[in-house]
Amino acid sequence: QVQLVESGGGLVQAGGSLRLSCAASRTIFSFNAMGWYRQAPGKQRELVAKFTDGGSSNYADSVKGRFTLSRGNAKNTVYLQMNSLKPEDTAIYYCAASVFGVDFWGQGTQVTVSS
């Protein structure tokens, strides 16, 4: 079993920044993939950014150049630095990890961007 705990969401004005954190119950290097998804009201959950098994990172086109995924020195944390936030970035952001085809999800953290 894997526990994922997100933090760092909140309310910010358009153009502002937030950093989300995801703390895992074990080293992130044991995961095949790990990253962030988001779900806006009335919309399907979508990929924001993730690390893949090979160590590379993938980003949604809508966040490229604005969001940055990184690993913490503690080896059980990943961060999502979000800059130049837009109202359309408003959503619940979920941390997710995959281990041999089994997906684990955090409880989510709300990000609200006001115009």
Side-chain angles (χ1 to χ4, degrees):
Q1 190 72 359
V2 176
Q3 283 77 47
L4 303 170
V5 179
E6 303 103 332
S7 61
L11 173 65
V12 64
Q13 289 187 331
S17 299
L18 284 174
R19 189 176 80 156
L20 305 183
S21 301
C22 175
S25 57
R26 64 193 215 195
T27 175
I28 63 176
F29 296 102
S30 67
F31 303 140
N32 300 117
M34 185 174 186
W36 294 89
Y37 290 73
R38 68 185 181 188
Q39 187 166 19
K43 295 187 177 181
Q44 290 188 331
R45 192 172 296 188
E46 62 176 1
L47 172 69
V48 177
K50 69 175 182 179
F51 287 117
T52 62
D53 199 13
S56 61
S57 54
N58 296 333
Y59 293 88
D61 289 342
S62 59
V63 307
K64 284 181 181 176
R66 300 188 298 122
F67 291 11
T68 304
L69 188 63
S70 63
R71 301 178 181 90
N73 292 330
K75 299 182 180 180
N76 71 328
T77 305
V78 294
Y79 301 101
L80 184 68
Q81 178 67 42
M82 306 186 294
N83 298 328
S84 302
L85 282 160
K86 304 175 181 180
E88 51 263 43
D89 294 319
T90 295
I92 299 174
Y93 283 69
Y94 296 90
C95 180
S98 177
V99 184
F100 297 118
V102 179
D103 296 331
F104 299 91
W105 296 88
Q107 79 286 355
T109 185
Q110 177 70 47
V111 171
T112 303
V113 185
S114 63
S115 58

